[in-house]
Amino acid sequence: MGYMKLFGSSGIRGIANKEITPELALNVGLVLGSRKKTAVIGRDPRVSAPMIEHALIAGMTAAGCAVTEIGLVSTPTLAYAAREYECGVMVTASHNPSEYVGIKLWNPDGMAFDSAQQEEIEKAIEDKDFSRVPWNLIGKFEEDGSAIRAHMNMIKKLVGNSSLKVVLDCGCGAGGTITPYLLQELGCEVITLNAQPDGHFPARKPEPNDENLSMLKKAVVDFGANLGIAHDGDADRMMAVDEKGNFVSGDEMLAIFGRYECSGRKGTVVVPVDTSMMVDDSLQGSEIVRTRVGDVYVAEGIKQCGAIYGGEPSGSWIFPKISYCPDGIYAAAKLVEIVKEKKLSELREELPRYATKREAFPCANEKKTEFMKKVKAKLEPLGKVLDIDGIRVEMENGWVLVRPSGTEAKVRITAEARENVDEIFEMAEKIVKEALE
Ligand code: MG
C-alpha cells in the first residue's frame, strides 16, 4: 500500500492550518524525536510559524529528543547550528506567500533530508511508528540565543572587510535578524529596506526576483549605492542589483560567484539543467555538472562530485566549504567583497551573453509521461541528450530543454543559442506541438 506523500523538493509545505496543521507537526515531531536524540529548531517570521514550531517541539520532546530552540533565524543560520545536533528543523515556507508554512529537515553537514530520509519519515507517520517516553525521560527543552552570532563569526572569519555603500532589502523576512548587522560589522554603510521581520510580508512578495525588487532598484540609484542586495523570506536565497539599478540575473550571479570560487583552482561546478551556457563559457577549465531543477538536487550533486561550488539561478548559492545549505547571508558578504574590486555592472559586462527563448504550452498532468516519450524520440538524434529532468539536447549552436512543470499542467520549452535562437526554438516547438496532438 502506498503512503501519503508529504514532502516535496523543498520539504513539507502548504497552507497554514489547512494543509500544514499542528496535528501534522506533532506527528512529524513524534517520528523525528523517536529517531534522533538531539535537535535544534528555528523559524522564519511567518504568522503561523510559532504554532507549528511548538507542535514540533511537543512531539519531539514527547518522544525523548532533547530540543534546543534558537528562535527567529534565517534558514542558513539554522542549518549551520545543526552541525552540533543530530538534526535541524526549520519552520519556513521560504519564498512562498504569507499564507504558506512548511517544515524543512537538516542533517548536521547542512544537507537537507534527501528523498530516502523523507520517505522514512512519511512512512513512519502513516504507520504511527513512534514511541512516547515515560515522564522522566521526556526530552530536555532549552533556548539558545547564540546561533546568529556564531553564524556571523564563521562568515567574518572567511570574508574580508569592505567600506561599500549597500542597500539591503530583507523583504520583512528572517534575513533582517542577521545580514544588516553582519554587513555593518564588515565595515559597510548599510541602508536597510524592510528589515523588520513581519510574516504578513507587507512591503513586497518574498521571492527576490526582478519584478518584486522595484523598491530596491530605485533606492540603489537614489542613495548612490555601490550595490543592492535582497533576500527571500528565510534568507537562504540572495539576489542583487548593480550600481545602475539593474537587476542581476540568476545566471549572471551564478557565473560571477563561479568565477570567484574557481579562480586559481580546478574543480567541478554543479548547476541545474536550465542554466545558461553563459556559466559554462565563463568558467572554462571547470567541469560543469547538471542536475535536476531544485537546490536540494544541486546540493546532492555537489556532495556526490566533491564540487567546489554550485547554485541555482533562483538565488541559491552553495559554498560546500561552509555548508551544503544555500547561504544567502554568506553570499551577500562574499558579493560585497567581490564588488570592492570591480563594479557589479562591469562584472556583468564581462560575461558572454546569448539569446534565450522560453514558452509554456498547456499539457494535462496525466498526459505528461506519454508526451515526454514522444518528445524524447524526436529530440534524441539531434545532439547530446541529458534526460534527468525533462529532455535537454545540446547542439553545435546552443541547446534546448523540454520540461514538464512539476506544479502546473504545462510543459516548457527553453532554448538558448550563440546565434539564431529562433531556429532552435521553432524546431523544438514543432516537435512539442506534434507530440501534444
Ligand atoms: Mg528560501
Side-chain angles (χ1 to χ4, degrees):
M1 193 184 81
Y3 47 88
M4 195 175 70
K5 195 102 186 87
L6 285 173
F7 288 87
S9 63
S10 311
I12 299 173
R13 201 175 285 179
I15 309 285
N17 233 2
K18 198 171 154 198
E19 291 157 341
I20 311 298
T21 59
E23 293 87 340
L24 173 65
L26 182 77
N27 282 321
V28 173
L30 282 163
V31 163
L32 199 60
S34 300
R35 284 159 181 76
K36 307 284 178 188
K37 286 196 250 350
T38 62
V40 59
I41 189 166
R43 63 171 193 277
D44 76 8
R46 284 168 193 280
V47 174
S48 53
M51 172 186 83
I52 297 301
E53 186 190 25
H54 284 92
L56 281 161
I57 294 170
M60 286 189 283
T61 50
C65 174
V67 178
T68 303
E69 187 199 31
I70 60 170
L72 173 52
V73 292
S74 75
T75 291
T77 303
L78 184 281
Y80 183 64
R83 76 197 182 284
E84 293 176 342
Y85 300 86
E86 287 189 17
C87 76
V89 183
M90 183 70 189
V91 180
T92 178
S94 187
H95 58 279
N96 283 69
S98 324
E99 62 270 29
Y100 283 79
V101 73
I103 304 167
K104 199 163 175 178
L105 306 175
W106 299 90
N107 290 296
D109 62 359
M111 179 72 83
F113 269 32
D114 64 22
S115 3
Q117 288 177 299
Q118 294 183 348
E119 275 169 30
E120 190 198 338
I121 304 284
E122 283 167 346
K123 193 168 183 313
I125 291 174
E126 183 102 344
D127 298 345
K128 294 201 166 16
D129 179 11
F130 51 74
S131 49
R132 291 169 208 267
V133 295
W135 71 270
N136 55 338
L137 295 178
I138 289 169
K140 279 203 178 65
F141 173 74
E142 259 179 7
E143 289 173 45
D144 180 358
S146 68
I148 294 174
R149 174 44 63 191
H151 187 201
M152 282 169 75
N153 287 348
M154 178 273 285
I155 296 172
K156 282 170 75 180
K157 271 195 199 133
L158 297 170
V159 181
N161 279 22
S162 161
S163 56
L164 295 188
K165 192 184 214 181
V166 184
V167 185
L168 174 65
D169 181 352
C170 297
C172 298
T177 62
I178 178 165
T179 313
Y181 310 103
L182 173 69
L183 295 182
Q184 263 170 14
E185 288 185 24
L186 288 170
C188 294
E189 184 184 336
V190 184
I191 297 152
T192 52
L193 301 176
N194 315 313
Q196 82 287 11
D198 182 340
H200 298 92
F201 300 111
R204 64 160 167 92
K205 289 181 187 147
E207 189 160 11
N209 57 23
D210 195 2
E211 192 190 337
N212 293 339
L213 298 182
S214 48
M215 210 189 301
L216 178 63
K217 289 185 275 187
K218 184 173 184 308
V220 168
V221 175
D222 289 353
F223 285 102
N226 298 98
L227 75 159
I229 286 172
H231 287 308
D232 71 334
D234 62 332
D236 57 342
R237 292 197 197 178
M238 171 270 186
M239 291 300 274
V241 168
D242 73 13
E243 78 284 359
K244 295 176 179 168
N246 296 312
F247 180 74
V248 186
S249 77
D251 289 318
E252 289 172 329
M253 292 288 292
L254 201 41
I256 290 169
F257 280 129
R259 279 189 157 183
Y260 200 88
E261 291 300 309
C262 296
S263 76
R265 50 180 185 153
K266 285 240 177 321
T268 304
V269 170
V270 180
V271 300
V273 282
D274 58 351
T275 303
S276 166
M277 58 191 176
M278 168 198 283
V279 174
D280 306 58
D281 289 2
S282 53
L283 301 181
Q284 280 172 13
S286 303
E287 191 200 346
I288 309 289
V289 171
R290 285 186 155 76
T291 67
R292 292 174 65 187
V293 175
D295 60 24
V296 181
Y297 304 117
V298 174
E300 285 177 6
I302 290 174
K303 195 170 178 177
Q304 275 162 18
C305 309
I308 53 176
Y309 165 70
E312 198 183 42
S314 60
S316 306
W317 323 118
I318 303 172
F319 306 90
K321 65 185 171 203
I322 58 163
S323 173
Y324 291 112
C325 172
D327 191 331
I329 326 302
Y330 175 82
K334 202 73 206 169
L335 186 66
V336 170
E337 190 183 49
I338 296 171
V339 172
K340 190 168 66 176
E341 307 294 330
K342 197 176 262 181
K343 286 182 180 165
L344 194 43
S345 66
E346 290 172 13
L347 290 164
R348 295 179 66 204
E349 278 160 22
E350 288 171 1
L351 299 171
R353 224 159 276 274
Y354 307 111
T356 58
K357 201 165 172 181
R358 286 192 179 87
E359 209 173 308
F361 300 83
C363 176
N365 287 331
E366 62 276 13
K367 292 198 172 148
K368 281 177 180 170
T369 314
E370 190 54 37
F371 165 81
M372 287 309 295
K373 247 190 231 162
K374 286 186 197 165
V375 169
K376 189 179 177 184
K378 290 269 175 70
L379 283 177
E380 230 162 13
L382 301 177
K384 198 177 129 199
V385 171
L386 189 66
D387 61 355
I388 42 171
D389 195 356
I391 308 286
R392 185 185 190 276
V393 187
E394 207 171 308
M395 291 159 282
E396 195 85 334
N397 178 37
W399 57 274
V400 65
L401 172 71
V402 179
R403 185 173 171 266
S405 162
T407 48
E408 295 170 279
K410 282 179 185 170
V411 291
R412 286 196 177 82
I413 302 177
T414 308
E416 185 179 39
R418 294 193 164 80
E419 49 199 42
N420 206 353
V421 68
D422 291 330
E423 198 182 315
I424 293 184
F425 184 87
E426 280 159 19
M427 179 270 299
E429 189 183 20
K430 192 165 164 266
I431 291 172
V432 164
K433 284 189 171 159
E434 280 171 12
L436 284 171
E437 270 165 14

